[in-house]
Amino acid sequence: MLGRRSALALIAAALAMAIYSGLHLRVGTDITNFLPVGSRSELAALSSRLADSPLTRTIVLSIAADEPAVAIAAAHELAEHLRAHPEVAWVRSEVGATDLEEVYRLYFPHRLALLSDRPEQELPVRLSDAELRARARELRQRLASPASSFFEPLVAADPLGAFEARVRSWQERETTLRMVDGQLVTPDGRFAILLLGTRSSAFDSGSQGRLLADLETAFDAIVARRGAGLRLERSAVGAFAVAAERSIKRELVWIISGSAIGVTLLFLAFVASARGLVIVVLPPLSGILVAVTSSLLVFGRLDGLTMAFGTSLMGIAIDYSNHLLLHHGLARPPESPLRTAARLRGSLVLGALTTVASFVGLLLTPFPAFRQMAFFAITGVLTSLAASLWILPTLLARAPALPARTRVAAAHFDRAYRHLERLPRRWLFAGLALCTASAIALPAVEWSDDLSRLTRFDPALVDEDRRVRERVEQLDGSRFVIALAPDYDTAVARNDEIHARLEAVAETGALDSTRSLHALLWSPELQRRNLDVLAALPDLTQRLDAAFRAEGFRPGAFAAFADALAGPPPAPLRLGELLASPLRDLFAPFVFELGDRIAVVTYLRGLHDPGAVRAALADLDDVHLLDQRSFVDDIYREFRETSLRQILFGSGLVLLLLALRYRAWRPVLAAFVPSALVALVVLAVLAGLREPANLLHVMSLVMVIGMGVDYGIFCVDSVGRGEEFGATLLSLLLSCLTTALVFGTLSLSSQPSLRAIGLTTGVGILLSFALAPLSVAALRERPADRNARG
Amino acid sequence: MRFVAACCLSFVLTTAGFASAVRADDPALDAVLARMASTAGVETAFEERKELSLLSEPLDSHGVLYFVPPDRFARFTLHPGFTSLVVEGRSVHLREGRDGEDTDLSGNPVARLFTEHFVALWSGDRAKLEHLYAAQLQGDLTDWELRLVPRRAPLAGVLDAITLRGDREAVREMIVQERDGDRTVTRFPEANGDRVFSAAEIERIFTQRTPLRGASAGR
């Protein structure tokens, strides 16, 4: 029994944990938790990191109005507001004067090194006498154009137009959008477009939620001022995270409420005292408190699914306390709580250990969310067990007596079991065989490994996202080529090679086009090759002068060009320099740090033949074509299959534990068979309902098996000790209904992931309750067995 | 900075064909500005001669200009090659060659400066012009010469002066003198300052971005 001092210490510890959890609890729906970590595969790590990268942190805003000019003005205003927002890293809505000046300052000195990305092939032709003459002719004609304003001042130093070509390339990087009144608009001019990047992860639903709320408020204020049918739409990964969190939080409220009401009613029926209910609920609540606190300490934050799973733990962990409560309350003759606890300790410990065994495998998986789930479950279960064995007896001593109806119900259950036991064994086996026969439906189970189907999003949100993406003709964000390199120079060099190869692939029709860093920068090595080719043409200045003179240019007009050619070349233009300049935002979609390496991304449009792209890039180190969606689906298929194998492994562990405990095949099988049959029947039900089975169904099966084994153990131990079996069945019913209520509400969730857990676990636990006594009755050694043996 | 300044200059060159200007207490300037602002529309051929330090001989070109108040302007160069520059409000589009690609310069700050100048000139925005230039007017409404000298960088760094000559009807000549010696003279020999454009003509010029058939400037 607990002393006063120990009780106070425990209360203080509980308070401390509650305060800590209250201050630090942040529920996220981070998809990266569902991606594997570790060094299992470089692509897995890459995919995991890309899920939280500038690619997912970019938000596209589309603004429409009755008059396009109003939309543009509103976009200007909104952009100004967003630039000052602490959560916004960058806003892209126009090409500013600063950009042009910076382009000139950074690029013009390097114009000779940026003449051609195939200098050895192109430059000898381009710098031939005939081509120089043609260039001079073209230039003279263009000087008559009003557009000469843009290049005439630079012609003397750049008669070959290298800088102008770079500027055009730089300005055309957003080929799908155009500029009107200094604002990016869609090609049809109907929608003003803003692009912005967030500082926080797209899956940090707290930050994203605040930003999106501020965005709506700011836009509402603009609408109030300008009106004119202004409408804002957006495409943002973060919006989905926020919507998912809101949905999960909303559902968690009624899941917890529904569970609490159901459990309360159950306990009022069979325990009939608020104190009894509090006593029984205390150990599982302790388990949840410790699990939340320790998970926060270990992982820093909790995933939404882990939290939902945690609330469901109440249904599992309550088994131990109500088992104790009912056995203590129904004991004849009456006994002390310590005596009851000692009597049931073996069953409770074995039940908890088998549950832990079924979760151990998950703890070893590379998926953070499932590690969290396993950690949460193991911590919660062990804490609940400890609380049941060491705290509950103290509280039970003060619990009121159970109502008479509970004793009556237990007696009914006892009689019902005795009837069952008297049935011919073949009938009992027929029931078990029927369940076993459900195995024939297993081949019909349809497995779904589409990760996107684990979460259900608001169709309106999905449509809005699609509309906005279509307006900006966003490139396929899930399929791209990515190169990894230890430093910037190597990264850009790899990108040069990728660009060259993808251009060749595009010529075959396997790919429509690409969007690449190559439009903005070439590697130092490629820049040097340009200069090398120029250096190999010592008479270029004279030939150029002659060609241009022949077309009416003044002799010596290009002295600035000759000086640049003759002088020492500047150091190559490098990525680091550009990233440290005001132009850095332009590079954000293409270059970012990925761990300790630099990643360069090439976006693909119209990828018709991934095989051709893979083949073209096959011999390049650290270069990958990443089809993220199919890649992740592949990972999940692999993980599901691994999990199914782990069920077998976990079952083996459970069998081992049971064998160590019972050292006889009959009780081992009696305790184990219900859980095994439940797995078969649940899968058969899914096949019968044509409900695609996914990873979470499998995960739930792991849980059901652990709980089912508990029921088997309690039955086997109880019947084996000659105790009143009705008390055991009643406590199991209470636990079963509690769990079914908790998971039953999960099955009503709109989120497929929660529904999968709820359906599998709810159905499974009811079956476990039904099968546990049946299995014991069928397999328990009867006097006839002993006679036959003996 | 030289790049931007140069671009500013070149746009001023383009717009200066319609420049009028300004001294606050000069009623003759008021009359010139008022005339500019009251036009129903302008259609004029232009002949341009650029004397550039790059070229050993002057570069001649010709074409046609249209202005529709308050903020639509189009310049089509027909020789030696075709180019079009079409401005509507703050929208600026350029095409080089009849089959050339249309370039949207609306987002270009230099193009923005161009449109601001343009609107300022034709709306009689004296404050804006006086902010940019010191103006000297000679003559009267029937025969005037206006000299505009940039007040500050970046224009002052590259531009000596813009000289406009005109009469009661319209601007007849514009001379742009740059600091590096380059000089551009644009003449508007057949300017019609009271041209009323039909909807179809406006559609052709500003939507299809094509000069009118039979435009007097076409050759």
Side-chain angles (χ1 to χ4, degrees), chain A residues 317-339:
Chain A
I318 211 165
D319 293 357
Y320 312 136
S321 50
N322 70 45
H323 199 52
L324 270 171
L325 175 74
L326 287 182
H327 271 276
H328 173 66
L330 297 175
R332 282 293 174 270
E335 61 186 10
S336 72
L338 279 177
R339 166 79 187 116

Side-chain angles (χ1 to χ4, degrees), chain A residues 78-91 196-199 207-215 218:
Chain A
L78 188 59
E80 284 310 305
H81 174 82
L82 290 170
R83 283 194 179 95
H85 197 285
E87 178 52 36
V88 174
W90 54 267
V91 177
L196 60 104
T198 61
R199 294 191 194 284
S207 301
Q208 293 285 333
R210 284 191 293 279
L211 171 61
L212 294 175
D214 290 348
L215 175 64

